[in-house]
Amino acid sequence: MDILVVNPNTTASMTEKIGEAARGAASAGTRIIAINPKDGPPSVEGYFDEVFAIPGMIGEIQKHPAASACVIACFDDTGLDAARCVGEMPVVGIGEAAFHMASLIAGRFSVVTTLSRSVPAIEHNLVRYGLASRCARVRASDVPVLELEVLGSNARHRISEEIECAIRDDRAEAIVLGCAGMADLAAALSREHGLPVLDGVACAVKLCESLVGLGLSTSKRGGYQVPLEKSFAGIFAPFSPSGRAS
Amino acid sequence: MDILVVNPNTTASMTEKIGEAARGAASAGTRIIAINPKDGPPSVEGYFDEVFAIPGMIGEIQKHPAASACVIACFDDTGLDAARCVGEMPVVGIGEAAFHMASLIAGRFSVVTTLSRSVPAIEHNLVRYGLASRCARVRASDVPVLELEVLGSNARHRISEEIECAIRDDRAEAIVLGCAGMADLAAALSREHGLPVLDGVACAVKLCESLVGLGLSTSKRGGYQVPLEKSFAGIFAPFSPSGRAS
Amino acid sequence: MDILVVNPNTTASMTEKIGEAARGAASAGTRIIAINPKDGPPSVEGYFDEVFAIPGMIGEIQKHPAASACVIACFDDTGLDAARCVGEMPVVGIGEAAFHMASLIAGRFSVVTTLSRSVPAIEHNLVRYGLASRCARVRASDVPVLELEVLGSNARHRISEEIECAIRDDRAEAIVLGCAGMADLAAALSREHGLPVLDGVACAVKLCESLVGLGLSTSKRGGYQVPLEKSFAGIFAPFSPSGRAS
Amino acid sequence: MDILVVNPNTTASMTEKIGEAARGAASAGTRIIAINPKDGPPSVEGYFDEVFAIPGMIGEIQKHPAASACVIACFDDTGLDAARCVGEMPVVGIGEAAFHMASLIAGRFSVVTTLSRSVPAIEHNLVRYGLASRCARVRASDVPVLELEVLGSNARHRISEEIECAIRDDRAEAIVLGCAGMADLAAALSREHGLPVLDGVACAVKLCESLVGLGLSTSKRGGYQVPLEKSFAGIFAPFSPSGRAS
Amino acid sequence: MDILVVNPNTTASMTEKIGEAARGAASAGTRIIAINPKDGPPSVEGYFDEVFAIPGMIGEIQKHPAASACVIACFDDTGLDAARCVGEMPVVGIGEAAFHMASLIAGRFSVVTTLSRSVPAIEHNLVRYGLASRCARVRASDVPVLELEVLGSNARHRISEEIECAIRDDRAEAIVLGCAGMADLAAALSREHGLPVLDGVACAVKLCESLVGLGLSTSKRGGYQVPLEKSFAGIFAPFSPSGRAS
Amino acid sequence: MDILVVNPNTTASMTEKIGEAARGAASAGTRIIAINPKDGPPSVEGYFDEVFAIPGMIGEIQKHPAASACVIACFDDTGLDAARCVGEMPVVGIGEAAFHMASLIAGRFSVVTTLSRSVPAIEHNLVRYGLASRCARVRASDVPVLELEVLGSNARHRISEEIECAIRDDRAEAIVLGCAGMADLAAALSREHGLPVLDGVACAVKLCESLVGLGLSTSKRGGYQVPLEKSFAGIFAPFSPSGRAS
């Protein structure tokens, strides 16, 4: 099966790293197609950036109608609801993926993300998904997204410190890493701290494989109905609900 | 004071009607500037359309840095969080405005909106705002947004029927009309059914006037911090966090 | 329009200060009628005092049937439900007013009130209104209500200290001052701490003006129905549901 | 032990009936002192009446400092918080008593009360107590409180009909009767409908006996602290926090 | 009346101590029958032990069909739901008993239990019962169950320290002791710390007496229906829903 | 990898059917080991039966320490917490598995289970897992568990009728089948009703494969710590926390 892994930001090096993480998690028969939009911000840090990342991301998804499933590789599950309206293939956000998986192996977990400005969006998602009661706390490590790409930065150390606090102060039984760019750190941090540390990219790939394997697709009742056909104006004229771009 | 009223869809006739409703609610010293983006869908019906309405809407808001406050005139409060990151002026969504006002005059209210596909987004907002416990039910009238613009349509009748059901079955003490395009119906429906019927556009204008009058602006701690400056790519290159479009 | 601002305690100097705050927030065409009952406690500090403040307060409200709206100027929204049963004019408590307004400009807020004995009543209101999820914490400054009236007291310093804690420990994005007697401190504390500080009296005046401007009145379905006519006995014989005091 | 059973309304015949119900539930060594205030409304039907029932009720409680415990015999637990501030004896409302007892013998229960105007107050109590999740629904039988005192009225039939609905539509496993005046109906309705039917008066007497037997008294930390001494004005001058009425 | 007090573990000395505590709380006419199963673990510390304690406990309960009520004397209310399916007599867990009683005398309480591994089960119960909002925190004292039986151990000191923390950090107004083996400490700890300290065994005995006195029995609608008759296999062949052991 | 699929009841024909369903869902490299205890009830219908199913089930799990993961194949996730204490392998209940998977493809789902007596246990699980807000309603089809094994029974028809009701009355966007014995019906019912219908057995197998593939194991902090070693008495002497049965 083909799983589309969409990095909603435009930083190709990060797409590559995410693709690697996804391939590391994928089963033998799964092909990972890691892409990013050419339109939008180089990193998604907070509500403002999200807005300009999603249209391009949706456009990319529409270009792959034959994919079996789709992973949204941004921890605030940017544009997840809209992506589920595109066709019937299952779409899984890396945030929700990690929350659901953590709920299966731990009574409560804490999230360690990048910047404090991203915390409220993650908290809102937890409330919406119903899993806020399973999350002890969402913690900011004050590491900007793209610093995770910089060799020799202090990023890994800061994240490790927050995990320490989560174990001591939140009674966390598992840790969810709150950024796609942290995917490569999970295994080592798990060994270091002696508790499960989850990376959302890997979790989402596995959940997509599972949904496809079960023959399950997105429900077309309720909020994820196929969008009504209409013509968009201006810069969005090439886009459309049916994806038949001019 | 100048209040920006942004209709996130591109239908100018609807912007005009919303502007009228806003002016009808505004105080003497308030100037209503009703605008809509030139980029995006002609109506916002569900998660998919939202995505293509918000960037243009944010761009329009950035063009009016001197406005005192801003109303987002779409009932699912499209792009509200991102709009709050732009500058410090208060930004109020017409959905939240109506929910807060209804909570001051009734123990519980029901919402009557347009299509069933829009119900989940409204329910999610209620949960996030904390006011889900005040809302008895979100009801779809199965009236598409633009049919509200058509003279002689069955729209008003369908909405009235749902209000009847809300009073009888939900024990609703007030009704919130769930679409900016219903703004002109509130007063008559209130008289007809003998309970408060709230239109979000008017409510939002009043809340904006109130916030400005109180000297209150959006908090710049937490999720509404000023966006980090970064260059956007592709069709969004002219946009930027600071609004200094190239 | 005439807005009745009722201080439920009998301390006239506090009524005057509250009246000043209300006038400072009111629009040009609004007349503030600041009153207090002659029956009851000199300050409302906890559940016990409330009981003896409300009957006199209701009696005062009944004396002003032509008022356009009414503000209950005690932060635990003393007697709010009963006041809404009197006639149809909108009635707004200063506690709920501040909670709703804070929700429009901040993701989460903390409350700084007077004594620890008042904290549970405020917490209960937040739960009832549905806004508990928006409030990070209700903090007591251990400043008695009437000490706020004393020049040179330590009150302002103690409140400022609690705001400091709320920012650091609660991740508060805005502060709600939890006593009508703190109305004059909001602006300076906001400048000092660099985040919105809300005073409920001003917020409630603005919400009353808004409701009146929108033509909205209290729903007479559900709990706020006009009270059934009945004769009260003993000291309450002069009072009655219809307000036709003997 | 002496248990004070306070009917907050002034209708002596109802006090007598409540006293009978209390005595029927009391253990051998328990003396029931059934009283009502001389000041206030003849029945408590909604938020407005409550206000004028509570001061007299508190005054009556203060006259019995040697009582071991106190029952508030009105189903909306009128003035419960204030009563708990008077001295240290346990105070139990008949509403909360029935909710707690029903939670011990059934997964979920429904309430059948008198008038629709009383429903919101009961619902708010359930939310505050934390037991709303155990209550399937609060139902109004449209029987006014004092009609329960009228021989040959339709009251019992209406209540029985609502119980039928609660079993069928709410999946209720037990029924709580929502008015002190229904105390004499519980046993027969339980036999008739084949499920537990709880009367709050009897439940509250038993919980008072239990608390006294366990040597437990109201906590004096938090909201139930002894009221600060202060002089009340006007008609309340004879009242005071310490109960040393002039 | 006969109240069955079942200690679900097999440690007879603990059963004796629990029986003493129960007798200390019981009224004159109540006979306490303290028992424990002969099959199962010597102490119940966490989810695993529970499983092997419940079948023997159910078997013991079935041997006493003439008992008026039953107390489950383990703080995580081990097997409570199943025990309620056996016959119609009321069954009360010591955990829920203490939570309900504490809710009547305090706005919020904290629990002090034995080991950290037992905390999640208690938290889950609080959520299910609906009383989680009344509990500030569940604290582990790190005292193993059977160490409470050892004279001269450090157990009492550790528990007292946690109570100190609960008062200071949780704003607890009452303390619930979270283990049947702590029953003898409640009175002294209450005096020492100046707030109510509740022991679940005594609370449960009183609630059983109350339910029996009120003629209330477990509802046989919903989850507590009489089990369907079926033959069990293997080591459970002697057990059966109807208790007619072979 | 080897996945243990434990049917907690003793009916071998049902174990076989569940094993088939599991194998149908398993990936190429996965071996399904379908087992059932020899001790306990032939079907698990409600709280009582659970108690006598779990010990045998735990004993069976302990016999397979080399398994990679374990599925509890009873829809009320019987003994899930205890099973997670045995070793470190992931353990997934079929109820939770279906709830989590349904949350990824639908905004809200309804459950259709067997008997009304099983509904409360499922509702409690949903509350504990945090996913109650995603479930519109748990419906009983009044089909006993073992009737699902009878050819020509009315079972499938009754289940289909309830699905019809769930779509119409609950606004369900997906259906979760609430019994391991319904595993073979999911695909056909999905086609018939035009929305996703989920079987928990298949979902749980996929989630186990995912967890194992991700190298994730049950957290040994909190409630799932390895049980303290102790000797069990009576019929449970052969069992022990470490599984070293005598």
Side-chain angles (χ1 to χ4, degrees):
Chain A
M1 78 183 72
D2 286 359
I3 297 182
L4 208 56
V5 177
V6 201
N7 169 18
N9 74 38
T10 59
T11 300
S13 67
M14 198 168 155
T15 307
E16 231 168 282
K17 190 164 92 172
I18 291 169
E20 276 319 290
R23 269 170 218 114
S27 298
T30 301
R31 188 165 61 130
I32 297 296
I33 307 174
I35 54 174
N36 62 254
K38 63 176 202 307
D39 305 310
S43 59
V44 176
E45 292 167 315
Y47 294 124
F48 188 91
D49 295 347
E50 282 189 30
V51 162
F52 296 92
I54 306 176
M57 185 189 86
I58 295 290
E60 293 302 313
I61 296 173
Q62 287 181 321
K63 286 180 192 160
H64 296 80
S68 301
C70 176
V71 170
I72 310 269
C74 183
F75 197 77
D76 37 11
D77 295 348
T78 317
L80 176 59
D81 289 315
R84 282 194 178 133
C85 297
V86 177
E88 301 203 1
M89 71 175 163
V91 184
V92 176
I94 65 170
E96 64 171 353
F99 304 149
H100 285 285
M101 292 306 247
S103 297
L104 296 173
I105 53 169
R108 49 196 275 143
F109 56 85
S110 281
V111 175
V112 177
T113 188
T114 52
L115 301 180
S116 66
R117 67 179 62 227
S118 294
V119 170
I122 295 170
E123 291 176 335
H124 288 153
N125 283 348
L126 281 159
V127 166
R128 271 196 46 182
Y129 302 156
L131 295 171
S133 63
R134 303 299 292 272
C135 179
R137 187 161 159 193
V138 181
R139 291 174 166 274
S141 62
D142 293 324
V143 175
V145 170
L146 295 182
E147 195 176 315
L148 292 163
E149 308 298 289
V150 178
L151 271 175
S153 86
N154 196 36
R156 192 190 178 290
H157 180 65
R158 279 293 302 120
I159 293 164
S160 189
E161 277 183 340
E162 280 301 314
I163 292 176
E164 208 60 60
C165 296
I167 293 171
R168 192 187 59 226
D169 298 341
D170 312 346
R171 293 193 293 119
E173 304 172 19
I175 300 294
V176 167
L177 295 180
C179 179
M182 298 175 181
D184 49 344
L185 305 175
L189 289 166
S190 176
R191 278 191 303 274
E192 182 178 331
H193 294 280
L195 86 178
V197 177
L198 294 94
D199 154 50
V201 176
C203 291
V205 167
K206 281 306 186 198
L207 286 174
C208 278
E209 288 181 345
S210 297
L211 290 164
V212 173
L214 294 166
L216 292 170
S217 53
T218 302
S219 177
K220 292 288 128 180
R221 294 173 184 276
Y224 303 136
Q225 290 172 46
V226 176
L228 295 171
E229 193 51 40
K230 53 186 75 166
S231 298
F232 292 176
I235 59 169
F236 294 121
F239 295 82
S240 84
S242 61
R244 289 186 303 271
S246 67
Chain B
M1 77 184 75
D2 286 0
I3 297 181
L4 207 58
V5 177
V6 201
N7 170 19
N9 74 37
T10 59
T11 300
S13 67
M14 197 167 156
T15 307
E16 231 168 283
K17 190 164 92 172
I18 290 168
E20 276 321 290
R23 269 170 218 113
S27 297
T30 301
R31 187 164 61 127
I32 298 295
I33 306 174
I35 55 174
N36 61 254
K38 63 177 202 306
D39 305 310
S43 60
V44 177
E45 293 167 315
Y47 294 124
F48 188 91
D49 296 347
E50 283 189 27
V51 162
F52 296 93
I54 305 177
M57 185 189 87
I58 295 290
E60 292 303 312
I61 295 174
Q62 286 181 323
K63 287 181 191 159
H64 296 79
S68 301
C70 175
V71 170
I72 310 269
C74 183
F75 196 77
D76 38 10
D77 295 348
T78 316
L80 176 60
D81 290 313
R84 282 195 178 134
C85 297
V86 177
E88 301 204 1
M89 72 176 162
V91 184
V92 177
I94 65 171
E96 64 171 353
F99 304 149
H100 285 286
M101 291 308 247
S103 298
L104 296 172
I105 53 169
R108 47 196 277 144
F109 57 85
S110 280
V111 175
V112 177
T113 188
T114 51
L115 301 179
S116 67
R117 67 179 63 226
S118 294
V119 170
I122 295 170
E123 290 176 335
H124 288 151
N125 283 348
L126 282 159
V127 167
R128 270 196 45 182
Y129 301 156
L131 295 171
S133 62
R134 304 299 292 272
C135 178
R137 188 161 158 195
V138 181
R139 292 174 166 275
S141 62
D142 293 325
V143 174
V145 170
L146 295 182
E147 195 177 314
L148 292 163
E149 308 299 288
V150 179
L151 271 175
S153 86
N154 196 37
R156 195 193 175 287
H157 179 65
R158 279 293 301 120
I159 293 165
S160 190
E161 277 183 338
E162 281 301 314
I163 293 177
E164 208 60 60
C165 296
I167 293 171
R168 191 188 58 225
D169 298 341
D170 311 346
R171 293 193 292 120
E173 303 172 18
I175 300 294
V176 168
L177 295 179
C179 180
M182 298 177 181
D184 50 344
L185 305 175
L189 289 166
S190 176
R191 278 192 302 274
E192 183 178 332
H193 293 281
L195 86 179
V197 176
L198 293 95
D199 154 50
V201 176
C203 291
V205 167
K206 281 307 187 198
L207 286 174
C208 278
E209 288 180 345
S210 297
L211 289 164
V212 174
L214 294 166
L216 292 170
S217 54
T218 302
S219 177
K220 291 288 128 180
R221 294 173 185 277
Y224 304 136
Q225 291 172 46
V226 176
L228 296 172
E229 193 52 38
K230 52 186 77 167
S231 298
F232 291 176
I235 60 169
F236 295 122
F239 295 82
S240 83
S242 60
R244 289 187 301 272
S246 66
Chain C
M1 76 183 75
D2 286 0
I3 297 180
L4 208 57
V5 176
V6 202
N7 169 19
N9 74 39
T10 60
T11 301
S13 67
M14 197 165 155
T15 309
E16 230 168 284
K17 190 164 92 172
I18 291 168
E20 276 320 291
R23 269 169 220 115
S27 298
T30 301
R31 188 166 61 129
I32 297 295
I33 306 173
I35 55 175
N36 62 255
K38 63 177 202 306
D39 305 310
S43 59
V44 176
E45 293 167 315
Y47 294 123
F48 188 91
D49 296 347
E50 283 188 28
V51 162
F52 297 93
I54 305 176
M57 184 189 87
I58 295 290
E60 292 303 312
I61 296 172
Q62 287 181 322
K63 287 180 191 160
H64 296 79
S68 301
C70 176
V71 170
I72 310 268
C74 183
F75 196 78
D76 38 10
D77 295 347
T78 317
L80 176 60
D81 289 314
R84 284 197 176 131
C85 298
V86 177
E88 300 204 3
M89 71 175 163
V91 184
V92 177
I94 65 169
E96 62 171 354
F99 304 148
H100 285 285
M101 292 306 247
S103 299
L104 296 173
I105 53 169
R108 46 197 278 146
F109 57 84
S110 281
V111 175
V112 178
T113 188
T114 52
L115 302 179
S116 67
R117 68 179 62 227
S118 294
V119 170
I122 295 170
E123 290 175 334
H124 288 152
N125 283 348
L126 281 159
V127 167
R128 271 195 47 182
Y129 301 157
L131 295 171
S133 62
R134 304 299 293 271
C135 179
R137 187 161 159 194
V138 182
R139 292 174 166 275
S141 62
D142 292 325
V143 175
V145 171
L146 295 181
E147 197 177 312
L148 291 164
E149 309 299 287
V150 179
L151 270 175
S153 86
N154 196 36
R156 193 191 177 290
H157 179 65
R158 279 293 301 119
I159 293 164
S160 189
E161 277 183 338
E162 281 300 315
I163 293 176
E164 209 59 61
C165 296
I167 294 172
R168 192 187 57 225
D169 298 341
D170 311 347
R171 292 194 292 121
E173 304 172 17
I175 299 294
V176 168
L177 295 179
C179 179
M182 297 176 182
D184 50 344
L185 305 175
L189 289 166
S190 176
R191 278 191 303 274
E192 183 178 332
H193 293 281
L195 85 179
V197 176
L198 294 93
D199 154 51
V201 176
C203 290
V205 167
K206 281 306 185 198
L207 287 174
C208 278
E209 289 182 344
S210 297
L211 290 163
V212 173
L214 295 166
L216 291 170
S217 54
T218 301
S219 177
K220 291 288 129 179
R221 293 172 185 277
Y224 303 137
Q225 289 171 48
V226 176
L228 295 171
E229 194 50 41
K230 52 187 77 169
S231 298
F232 293 175
I235 60 170
F236 295 122
F239 295 81
S240 84
S242 60
R244 290 186 303 270
S246 68
Chain D
M1 77 183 73
D2 286 359
I3 297 181
L4 208 58
V5 176
V6 202
N7 170 19
N9 74 38
T10 59
T11 300
S13 67
M14 197 166 155
T15 309
E16 231 168 281
K17 190 165 92 171
I18 291 168
E20 276 320 290
R23 270 170 218 113
S27 298
T30 301
R31 188 165 61 128
I32 298 295
I33 308 173
I35 55 175
N36 61 254
K38 63 176 203 307
D39 306 310
S43 60
V44 176
E45 292 167 315
Y47 293 124
F48 188 91
D49 296 347
E50 282 189 29
V51 162
F52 297 93
I54 305 176
M57 185 189 88
I58 295 290
E60 292 303 312
I61 296 173
Q62 287 181 322
K63 287 180 191 159
H64 294 80
S68 301
C70 176
V71 170
I72 310 268
C74 184
F75 197 78
D76 39 9
D77 294 348
T78 317
L80 175 60
D81 289 314
R84 282 195 177 134
C85 298
V86 178
E88 301 202 2
M89 73 176 161
V91 184
V92 177
I94 65 170
E96 62 171 353
F99 304 148
H100 286 285
M101 292 307 245
S103 299
L104 296 172
I105 53 169
R108 46 196 277 143
F109 57 85
S110 281
V111 175
V112 178
T113 188
T114 52
L115 301 180
S116 66
R117 67 179 62 229
S118 294
V119 170
I122 295 170
E123 289 176 336
H124 289 152
N125 283 349
L126 281 159
V127 167
R128 269 197 46 183
Y129 302 157
L131 294 171
S133 62
R134 304 299 292 272
C135 179
R137 187 160 159 195
V138 181
R139 293 173 165 275
S141 62
D142 292 324
V143 174
V145 171
L146 295 181
E147 196 177 314
L148 291 163
E149 308 299 287
V150 179
L151 271 174
S153 87
N154 196 36
R156 192 190 178 292
H157 179 65
R158 279 294 301 120
I159 293 164
S160 189
E161 276 183 338
E162 280 300 314
I163 293 176
E164 209 60 60
C165 297
I167 293 171
R168 192 188 58 225
D169 299 341
D170 313 345
R171 292 193 294 120
E173 303 172 18
I175 300 294
V176 168
L177 296 179
C179 179
M182 298 176 181
D184 50 344
L185 305 175
L189 289 166
S190 176
R191 278 191 303 275
E192 184 178 330
H193 293 280
L195 86 178
V197 176
L198 293 94
D199 154 50
V201 176
C203 291
V205 167
K206 281 307 187 198
L207 286 174
C208 279
E209 289 181 345
S210 297
L211 290 164
V212 173
L214 294 166
L216 292 169
S217 53
T218 302
S219 177
K220 291 289 128 180
R221 294 174 184 275
Y224 303 136
Q225 290 172 45
V226 176
L228 295 171
E229 194 50 40
K230 52 187 78 166
S231 298
F232 292 175
I235 60 170
F236 294 122
F239 295 82
S240 83
S242 61
R244 291 185 303 269
S246 68
Chain E
M1 78 183 73
D2 287 0
I3 298 182
L4 207 58
V5 177
V6 201
N7 169 19
N9 74 38
T10 60
T11 301
S13 66
M14 198 167 154
T15 308
E16 232 169 281
K17 190 165 91 172
I18 291 168
E20 277 320 289
R23 270 170 217 112
S27 298
T30 301
R31 187 165 62 128
I32 298 294
I33 307 174
I35 56 175
N36 61 255
K38 64 177 202 305
D39 305 310
S43 59
V44 177
E45 293 168 314
Y47 294 124
F48 188 92
D49 296 347
E50 283 188 27
V51 162
F52 297 93
I54 306 176
M57 185 190 87
I58 295 290
E60 291 304 312
I61 295 173
Q62 287 181 321
K63 287 180 191 160
H64 296 80
S68 301
C70 176
V71 170
I72 310 269
C74 184
F75 196 77
D76 38 9
D77 295 348
T78 317
L80 176 60
D81 290 313
R84 282 193 178 136
C85 298
V86 177
E88 300 204 1
M89 72 175 164
V91 184
V92 176
I94 65 171
E96 63 170 353
F99 304 148
H100 285 285
M101 292 307 247
S103 299
L104 296 172
I105 54 169
R108 48 196 277 143
F109 56 85
S110 281
V111 175
V112 178
T113 188
T114 52
L115 301 179
S116 66
R117 67 179 62 228
S118 295
V119 170
I122 295 170
E123 290 176 334
H124 288 151
N125 283 348
L126 282 159
V127 167
R128 271 195 47 182
Y129 301 157
L131 295 171
S133 62
R134 304 299 292 271
C135 178
R137 187 160 160 194
V138 182
R139 293 174 165 274
S141 62
D142 292 325
V143 175
V145 171
L146 295 181
E147 195 177 313
L148 292 163
E149 308 298 286
V150 179
L151 270 175
S153 86
N154 196 35
R156 193 192 177 289
H157 178 65
R158 278 294 301 120
I159 293 164
S160 188
E161 277 182 339
E162 281 300 315
I163 292 176
E164 209 60 59
C165 296
I167 293 171
R168 191 189 57 226
D169 298 340
D170 311 346
R171 293 193 293 120
E173 303 172 18
I175 300 295
V176 167
L177 295 179
C179 179
M182 298 175 181
D184 50 344
L185 305 175
L189 289 166
S190 176
R191 278 192 302 275
E192 184 178 331
H193 293 281
L195 86 178
V197 176
L198 292 94
D199 155 50
V201 176
C203 291
V205 167
K206 281 308 187 197
L207 286 174
C208 278
E209 289 181 345
S210 297
L211 289 164
V212 173
L214 295 166
L216 291 169
S217 54
T218 302
S219 176
K220 291 289 130 180
R221 294 172 185 276
Y224 304 136
Q225 291 172 46
V226 176
L228 296 171
E229 194 53 39
K230 53 186 76 168
S231 298
F232 292 176
I235 60 170
F236 294 122
F239 295 81
S240 83
S242 61
R244 290 186 303 271
S246 66
Chain F
M1 76 182 75
D2 287 0
I3 297 181
L4 207 57
V5 176
V6 201
N7 168 20
N9 74 38
T10 60
T11 300
S13 67
M14 197 167 155
T15 308
E16 231 168 282
K17 189 165 92 172
I18 291 168
E20 277 320 291
R23 270 170 218 114
S27 298
T30 301
R31 187 165 62 129
I32 297 295
I33 307 174
I35 55 174
N36 61 253
K38 64 177 201 307
D39 306 310
S43 59
V44 176
E45 293 167 314
Y47 294 125
F48 188 91
D49 295 348
E50 281 188 28
V51 162
F52 297 93
I54 305 176
M57 184 189 88
I58 295 290
E60 292 302 313
I61 295 173
Q62 288 181 322
K63 286 179 192 161
H64 295 79
S68 301
C70 176
V71 170
I72 311 268
C74 183
F75 196 77
D76 38 10
D77 294 348
T78 318
L80 176 60
D81 290 314
R84 282 194 178 135
C85 298
V86 176
E88 301 202 1
M89 71 176 163
V91 184
V92 176
I94 64 169
E96 62 171 354
F99 304 149
H100 285 285
M101 291 306 248
S103 298
L104 295 173
I105 53 169
R108 47 197 277 145
F109 57 84
S110 281
V111 175
V112 177
T113 188
T114 52
L115 301 179
S116 66
R117 69 179 61 228
S118 294
V119 170
I122 295 170
E123 291 175 335
H124 288 152
N125 282 348
L126 281 159
V127 167
R128 270 195 47 181
Y129 302 156
L131 295 171
S133 61
R134 304 298 292 272
C135 179
R137 187 160 160 196
V138 181
R139 293 173 164 275
S141 62
D142 293 325
V143 175
V145 170
L146 295 181
E147 197 178 313
L148 292 163
E149 308 298 289
V150 179
L151 271 175
S153 86
N154 196 36
R156 193 191 176 291
H157 179 64
R158 279 292 303 119
I159 292 165
S160 189
E161 278 183 339
E162 281 301 315
I163 292 177
E164 208 61 59
C165 296
I167 293 172
R168 192 187 57 226
D169 298 341
D170 311 347
R171 293 193 293 122
E173 303 172 18
I175 300 294
V176 168
L177 294 179
C179 178
M182 298 175 182
D184 49 344
L185 305 174
L189 288 166
S190 177
R191 278 191 303 274
E192 182 178 331
H193 294 281
L195 85 179
V197 176
L198 293 94
D199 154 50
V201 176
C203 291
V205 167
K206 281 307 187 197
L207 286 174
C208 278
E209 288 181 345
S210 297
L211 290 164
V212 173
L214 294 166
L216 293 170
S217 54
T218 302
S219 177
K220 291 289 128 179
R221 295 172 184 277
Y224 304 136
Q225 290 172 46
V226 176
L228 295 171
E229 194 50 41
K230 52 186 76 167
S231 298
F232 292 177
I235 60 169
F236 295 121
F239 295 81
S240 83
S242 60
R244 291 185 302 271
S246 66

